[in-house]
Amino acid sequence: MIPQTERYREMVLKSLNNERQRQLAARVAGVFKFLRSYALQSYADPAQVMRDVADIRARSVENMSELLERFEERATAAGAKVYWASNAQEANQIITDIVTAKGIKLAVKGKSMVSEETELNHFLEKAGVEVYEGDLGEFIVQQLHQPPFHIVGPAIHLSAEEISDLFVNLMGIEPTLDPVALGRAARVYLRDKFATAGVGITGVNVAVAETGSICLVENEGNIRLATSKPPVHIALMSIEKVVADVGDALEAIGLLTKSCTGQKISSYVSMITGPRKDGESDGPDELHIVILDNGRTAFYQDPELRQALRCIRCGACLGVCPIYTRIGGPTYGWIYSGPMGAVLNPLLLGINRSQDLFEACTQCGFCQEVCPGGIKHLDMFNRYRQMVIHGFPALNVKKEPKEGTRFMKLFAWGMRSPWRYRVGARLGRAFLKKYTQGGSIKALPILKGWFQYRDLPAPAPYTFREWWASQESQKTRLNAGKERSVTHGQ
Amino acid sequence: MSPAEPAAGEPRQIAKGEVEVFLREAQIVSAKVTVVPGKDAIARGVAELLGEKEVKSMLVVEDKRLDATALKKTAKELNAEYISTWELSEKEYLDKAFACDVGITCCDWGVAETASVVIFHRASAPRLPSVSPPIHIAILYTSQLLKTMKDLDLVIKQQKHMPSAVTIISGVSRTADILLTPTLGMHGPLEVGIVLVEGSETA
Amino acid sequence: MEGVSLFIPCSVDLLLADLGQAMVKIIRRAGGNPYYRPEQTCCGHPAITSGHVDLAVDLAKRFVEIFEKDECIVCPAGSCVYTVKHLYPRVLKDEPAWQKRASDVASRVYELSEYLVDVLGVEDLGAQYPGKVAYHESCSLLRHLGIDQQPKRLISGVKGTELVPLVEADTCCGFGGEFALKFPELSGAIVGDKVQNFVNSGADILLLADPGCLLNIAGYIMRHNPEKKVMHLAQFLAANLREVTA
């Protein structure tokens, strides 16, 4: 997917005007939000688990380089081959080389955000490899050449008619609007691909340093098939996936599935350590693990920014975000959407070009409340704003004149002195009063955005401090102490 | 009763049991469970789980934890071909794994809190019979039942070598990718049955 | 009787004096002794959240100097309390001595409902209102400060008032300061949904406890649903206090 985060503003308007997409985004988010809160109740102490997993993520990110080294050593000892890719191009090249060197023409894939990040499918297809996404939703959007709508449900924006039309063309089935029948048709169609593919390509949900294992989380069984039948398994992971041990992995996965689909645990969790061993009758002969940086170590150097790497891609933040729930995923202009995207896209694509993603935030904090990684989204967005205002050469962030900076300077200057404050208050209130009609102000020559959808309540006839000075100072004397006792009208 | 949570700093002991929890959770993840009194009754449990279903072939991962002779008889009664994974070449095995109607496997562990069955894949425990057939029947002994995922972690920690794959299976494969409609059965089994055997697999 | 220093947000001072008056009235009814330091201006919230953190350093220090003498400081705006408690450490991160002083003061700053219920232990102020109200959980209270029960207890303390459920009560109203100006269409869509949920709730009045949400929702209602009413909890309580006879 070609990044177009610059077009966010324009796409917001398009999404808001698309009534169907808007309702859908709200409905989908509502369902996931409900499922998550219900699932969390299965913990004796949900808040404690949230803290524990946030702690696991924080520790894992802090010790990342050491954990990655250990992971490489253990995975290699178990027979896997580990590769390091510094960018998307390198990762794609490594994977394509492995596949083409073996003359493999057919690949089955498990849903993987990081492979979307590198646009791996496109790369493989150019090299003459046919790639089938195995996850039903991902398969559908792949066949329609559309970007995924939602991180968990890539195709939930599509109607049964649209999917039926696709399947009729692709598989020659009878038209049907029954989601179950459509799912069965895809099962039958993809069976053969799983049985005959030369390679299974997956992402990695969690990598375990202690054992050199990779953990894969899914519901459909496509990843299990892709990692059991084809003779080669290639797993692509970004550097932040590694945790210390199996205990950390299982605890994080437990919260991942609850946060994501509201399941206590997904139907399948596979913990894979090396290729198949002697005497085993299935499983791949080769396991290749490609570890991708793609700009992450650059911002890792900054102790505050590196918290972005705590994200476990559960999507809980999407379901609760007042912005996401109105506009849906594709509006964000790249593969990561919602608050997750507003945190990741600027760091991975560039802060300047992705500004609107983090500017479009009401600072309600719902995302950080539900985040299993313990990411403080609002601190991150604030930091990004500062980087744009002042520039940040370490990450090539250009200083940009920001609308409002001049006003803010004036505002802060005014607020530093009670005298200037009072003068400003008098002028400002006189200005507002000029535009007051009845109990409200309908429009002003400034603040146009405000008045597009609402009025402003008329200012009170006096300021609080005027009222206090005239009425209250007579009654109560300021007494820096707490002990003074005054009775009032009782 | 299972042991209480350990005090801070105290090493946690592996906690076992909680059949009721397992049964309750199994319903939530749409796994059918039948409890049988011992190894002798496993075949009866399998027959009960398969009920009136039309089964043409069953692929069995034979193992000392199940009674193959009795299972063969059950297959006959169901008019189903009985296929032991051990009597096939690798190629035949791979073909059968994608062609048979039922896969029957033993398990290494169960986890009560999520109604999971856990398989440590190794030469004696291949991967496909629990994922490629439309029906998977898992044989689990109550002595293998762990309380939580934390207990599974402790069990895994005791492994000298990690198996090439550990699979935690919790119910049937599923999706909600079309219109958010929950659909049981996607690429993995459409149905999962568990024969829960009272007693110990080593008895 | 406890002396309590009034931390009046600039929005309240400049636009919503009646909210400040209401606050004074109910604090007195609850047995507190409010006083006001007129040298206070703005806590710096808008500067900080828009990324102009450097511009807020002096404002944070001013706040500390003005209020550090006080034992107890109370504010009718969750967002301003959040600023002092959670944003000042960030603003003053390069000056540990100031950071320490700021966190000392912050530990004595209370949001109004928190002050009434947790500090003074008062839930029934002697107010009476026969009718239905709904409560909007301002993000600044609910999520940034963890204040959820206190406002509801105060509402339950009002005789004759029924608190009706509000769908999506815990989601944002779409204000977000600068956000409302920069993304008017998004902000408008969000506040529109909030007001629709309020209308559907069947309540006569929507109560909340942050002046930001108040200006936003009141402004929207004035244009689209003028028959409806939104009030800060303090305004509601003060307007419905029963007369006390000695």
Side-chain angles (χ1 to χ4, degrees):
Chain A
M1 178 174 183
I2 297 159
Q4 42 183 346
T5 47
E6 305 86 346
R7 292 184 53 215
Y8 178 80
R9 207 170 259 280
E10 162 199 342
M11 291 192 291
V12 162
L13 295 184
K14 243 171 87 183
S15 304
L16 284 175
N17 290 326
N18 182 339
E19 193 54 35
R20 181 173 156 218
Q21 176 164 337
R22 207 169 132 179
Q23 280 179 7
L24 200 80
R27 180 169 154 253
V28 170
V31 169
F32 284 123
K33 180 180 173 190
F34 168 78
L35 291 174
R36 174 192 170 272
S37 61
Y38 184 79
L40 244 57
Q41 291 166 17
S42 69
Y43 286 123
D45 184 353
Q48 184 59 47
V49 178
M50 290 285 290
R51 283 193 294 274
D52 287 349
V53 174
D55 182 51
I56 289 172
R57 290 306 304 147
R59 273 191 283 117
S60 308
V61 170
E62 286 312 310
N63 304 327
M64 195 172 72
S65 62
E66 182 194 317
L67 292 174
L68 282 170
E69 259 175 61
R70 198 177 319 151
F71 171 75
E72 179 184 26
E73 178 201 315
R74 305 285 158 90
T76 308
K81 202 156 177 225
V82 176
Y83 308 76
W84 300 88
S86 64
N87 56 38
Q89 163 77 24
E90 273 183 40
N92 291 339
Q93 195 63 55
I94 292 166
I95 294 170
T96 309
D97 286 350
I98 298 167
V99 173
T100 51
K102 295 183 179 304
I104 294 168
K105 292 279 168 219
L106 178 63
V108 282
K109 247 186 99 232
K111 187 171 75 175
S112 144
M113 292 305 288
V114 69
S115 75
E116 304 264 356
E117 195 179 309
T118 68
E119 298 179 59
L120 175 64
N121 288 5
H122 182 62
F123 209 90
L124 282 168
E125 279 157 10
K126 270 204 321 212
V129 182
E130 212 180 343
V131 185
Y132 283 92
E133 291 286 347
D135 175 84
L136 176 62
E138 199 74 18
F139 167 71
I140 293 168
V141 293
Q142 182 199 19
Q143 295 303 322
L144 290 171
H145 309 287
Q146 284 189 9
F149 183 80
H150 186 278
I151 181 169
V152 185
I156 34 183
H157 58 299
L158 297 169
S159 66
E161 286 87 351
E162 288 166 293
I163 298 168
S164 174
D165 288 350
L166 169 72
F167 284 11
V168 167
N169 279 327
L170 193 68
M171 310 165 183
I173 61 163
E174 288 299 311
T176 173
L177 301 183
D178 174 14
V180 178
L182 289 166
R184 288 288 184 279
R187 174 188 168 99
V188 172
Y189 181 77
L190 286 168
R191 269 279 119 168
D192 183 44
K193 317 290 179 203
F194 287 116
T196 57
V199 58
I201 302 175
T202 70
V204 171
N205 291 97
V206 183
V208 184
E210 176 196 40
T211 57
S213 314
I214 54 173
C215 303
L216 293 161
V217 178
E218 57 155 343
N219 280 314
E220 295 188 2
N222 59 305
I223 292 178
R224 288 193 62 204
L225 290 170
T227 58
S228 298
K229 176 64 181 62
V232 180
H233 173 197
I234 303 174
L236 173 62
M237 63 179 262
S238 48
I239 52 174
E240 74 270 26
K241 296 292 178 184
V242 70
V243 302
D245 54 30
V246 173
D248 280 359
L250 287 177
E251 177 138 32
I253 288 170
L255 187 55
L256 167 68
T257 61
K258 290 178 192 74
S259 302
C260 182
T261 52
Q263 292 168 284
K264 267 191 172 178
I265 189 88
S266 55
S267 298
Y268 305 116
V269 175
S270 307
M271 200 174 287
I272 292 169
T273 315
R276 70 158 136 176
K277 298 198 170 60
D278 286 347
E280 290 184 37
S281 42
D282 53 18
D285 301 313
E286 297 174 19
L287 170 63
H288 303 270
I289 303 172
V290 182
I291 304 176
L292 174 71
D293 180 347
N294 212 21
R296 286 164 172 83
T297 47
F299 67 80
Y300 184 86
Q301 309 307 320
D302 185 292
E304 181 171 38
L305 296 177
R306 73 172 62 149
Q307 67 178 295
L309 298 178
R310 294 184 195 170
C311 176
I312 58 171
R313 313 284 189 271
C314 67
C317 57
L318 277 56
V320 298
C321 175
I323 312 298
Y324 179 88
T325 49
R326 265 83 188 180
I327 59 179
T331 314
Y332 288 81
W334 203 39
I335 53 170
Y336 302 112
S337 62
M340 177 199 291
V343 167
L344 292 173
N345 297 353
L347 290 174
L348 295 172
L349 297 174
I351 305 259
N352 295 92
R353 70 186 287 197
S354 314
Q355 290 179 53
D356 283 333
L357 273 62
F358 54 83
E359 288 293 348
C361 168
T362 67
Q363 319 213 19
C364 80
F366 218 151
C367 46
Q368 54 190 32
E369 181 182 273
V370 301
C371 179
I375 295 173
K376 298 288 172 227
H377 297 70
L378 299 190
D379 287 351
M380 293 293 281
F381 300 159
N382 193 256
R383 184 69 194 290
Y384 297 167
R385 291 187 183 119
Q386 291 181 55
M387 287 159 80
V388 173
I389 292 168
H390 301 289
F392 193 69
L395 289 181
N396 298 320
V397 183
K398 280 200 292 292
K399 178 177 171 168
E400 278 185 61
K402 204 176 130 140
E403 215 183 323
T405 294
R406 267 173 58 196
F407 172 77
M408 263 320 151
K409 281 188 175 156
L410 181 69
F411 174 83
W413 175 78
M415 291 296 178
R416 282 203 290 273
S417 127
W419 180 82
R420 289 196 293 264
Y421 175 90
R422 278 198 301 275
V423 172
R426 207 166 300 142
L427 293 172
R429 286 172 46 79
F431 172 76
L432 292 180
K433 275 181 188 161
K434 211 174 97 185
Y435 290 92
T436 302
Q437 290 175 315
S440 70
I441 299 170
K442 305 249 175 277
L444 287 176
I446 56 168
L447 310 179
K448 290 223 164 57
W450 179 274
F451 293 99
Q452 209 167 322
Y453 293 92
R454 73 215 112 192
D455 298 343
L456 185 69
Y462 38 77
T463 63
F464 177 81
R465 70 186 62 221
E466 287 165 357
W467 172 76
W468 182 271
S470 66
Q471 307 285 318
E472 293 304 305
S473 57
Q474 318 301 321
K475 287 195 208 161
T476 321
R477 258 179 296 138
L478 183 66
N479 60 3
K482 58 229 145 94
E483 66 299 313
R484 228 176 87 97
S485 180
V486 186
T487 35
H488 294 282
Q490 301 214 1
Chain B
M1 276 303 288
S2 50
E5 290 294 313
E10 214 175 291
R12 189 189 161 101
Q13 302 291 311
I14 295 174
K16 292 199 163 183
E18 305 214 321
V19 171
E20 285 74 32
V21 176
F22 185 86
L23 296 175
R24 189 189 67 213
E25 294 296 323
Q27 278 192 335
I28 296 171
V29 297
S30 310
K32 254 197 270 173
V33 186
T34 181
V35 184
V36 301
K39 188 172 161 185
D40 301 345
I42 290 174
R44 202 185 71 209
V46 170
E48 196 186 310
L49 287 170
L50 291 175
E52 303 293 301
K53 281 187 227 323
E54 200 192 321
V55 176
K56 291 200 200 73
S57 57
M58 61 170 75
L59 181 68
V60 182
V61 184
E62 288 186 354
D63 189 305
K64 60 181 187 304
R65 294 171 287 189
L66 56 75
D67 181 351
T69 321
L71 261 183
K72 279 178 192 156
K73 231 178 95 194
T74 303
K76 206 166 201 176
E77 283 160 14
L78 291 168
N79 256 334
E81 182 190 3
Y82 178 99
I83 311 162
S84 163
T85 49
W86 310 132
E87 286 160 15
L88 304 170
S89 70
E90 189 176 309
K91 167 140 195 346
E92 288 169 335
Y93 157 73
L94 293 173
D95 289 346
K96 288 290 180 195
F98 276 84
C100 68
D101 296 326
V102 185
I104 298 181
T105 71
C106 290
C107 305
D108 295 273
W109 299 98
V111 180
E113 67 169 349
T114 47
S116 310
V117 295
V118 183
I119 304 177
F120 289 5
H121 296 293
R122 35 171 81 100
S124 58
R127 305 178 190 201
L128 285 168
S130 60
V131 65
S132 54
I135 300 174
H136 171 216
I137 293 180
I139 316 289
L140 180 72
Y141 284 80
T142 51
S143 64
Q144 296 172 316
L145 199 52
L146 304 167
K147 198 177 157 194
T148 69
M149 285 292 164
K150 282 200 165 67
D151 302 304
L152 179 63
D153 169 38
L154 296 179
V155 166
I156 292 175
K157 277 207 172 73
Q158 291 175 349
Q159 303 295 307
K160 237 199 210 127
H161 298 287
M162 279 296 276
S164 61
V166 172
T167 307
I168 305 169
I169 300 170
S170 312
V172 297
S173 73
R174 60 185 66 222
T175 187
D177 275 355
I178 298 180
L179 303 170
L180 274 182
T181 310
T183 305
L184 297 181
M186 190 49 226
H187 297 298
L190 312 176
E191 293 175 45
V192 168
I194 298 168
V195 180
L196 188 59
V197 190
E198 288 175 331
S200 166
E201 79 280 15
T202 51
Chain C
M1 189 186 284
E2 291 292 322
V4 54
S5 181
L6 298 171
F7 166 15
I8 300 291
C10 51
S11 58
V12 174
D13 183 40
L14 297 174
L15 301 172
L16 302 162
D18 60 312
L19 167 52
Q21 290 170 261
M23 176 177 169
V24 170
K25 191 170 169 188
I26 57 175
I27 290 177
R28 285 189 177 143
R29 174 61 70 92
N33 173 27
Y35 56 90
Y36 178 66
R37 299 192 178 279
E39 61 272 37
Q40 64 183 283
T41 57
C42 169
C43 64
H45 179 87
I48 302 167
T49 53
S50 64
H52 300 86
V53 176
D54 52 328
L55 297 176
V57 173
D58 289 344
L59 297 179
K61 289 180 182 171
R62 277 198 86 234
F63 182 91
V64 171
E65 283 173 333
I66 292 168
F67 286 100
E68 71 185 339
K69 309 181 262 304
D70 296 324
E71 281 299 313
C72 181
I73 301 142
V74 65
C75 176
S79 42
C80 304
V81 177
Y82 163 66
T83 302
V84 173
K85 284 184 181 292
H86 298 286
L87 300 180
Y88 279 2
R90 215 178 147 70
V91 173
L92 299 169
K93 69 177 187 329
D94 297 328
E95 298 180 70
W98 275 104
Q99 209 182 28
K100 166 86 178 57
R101 281 170 74 181
S103 84
D104 283 349
V105 185
S107 68
R108 303 194 298 275
V109 176
Y110 299 91
E111 185 279 328
L112 177 60
S113 69
E114 184 188 23
Y115 169 73
L116 293 169
V117 174
D118 296 349
V119 179
L120 297 183
V122 175
E123 292 180 16
D124 181 356
L125 286 158
Q128 188 173 5
Y129 171 79
K132 290 181 185 172
V133 301
Y135 176 66
H136 160 66
E137 310 252 10
S138 294
C139 306
S140 58
L141 275 86
L142 178 67
R143 277 180 287 274
H144 297 324
L145 299 172
I147 296 171
D148 57 347
Q149 292 309 308
Q150 295 89 329
K152 290 174 207 158
R153 293 225 182 105
L154 290 166
I155 296 169
S156 310
V158 180
K159 219 175 135 192
T161 296
E162 185 193 345
L163 179 62
V164 302
L166 176 67
V167 171
E168 297 274 305
D170 63 347
T171 62
C172 184
C173 72
F175 174 57
E178 205 187 15
F179 167 80
L181 303 176
K182 282 192 150 176
F183 294 91
E185 296 83 5
L186 272 174
S187 177
I190 301 171
V191 66
D193 289 347
K194 178 60 75 177
V195 168
Q196 192 56 53
N197 284 328
F198 163 41
V199 170
N200 295 345
S201 77
D204 326 317
I205 308 175
L206 180 65
L207 297 179
L208 41 73
D210 191 280
C213 313
L214 178 65
L215 288 172
N216 182 38
I217 300 176
Y220 189 89
I221 279 178
M222 281 175 170
R223 186 170 300 181
H224 302 275
N225 308 72
E227 72 290 355
K228 287 289 178 180
K229 206 166 172 183
V230 52
M231 293 173 99
H232 190 289
L233 177 57
Q235 295 169 319
F236 174 73
L237 292 170
N240 295 294
L241 284 186
R242 278 167 293 169
E243 291 305 315
V244 176
T245 44

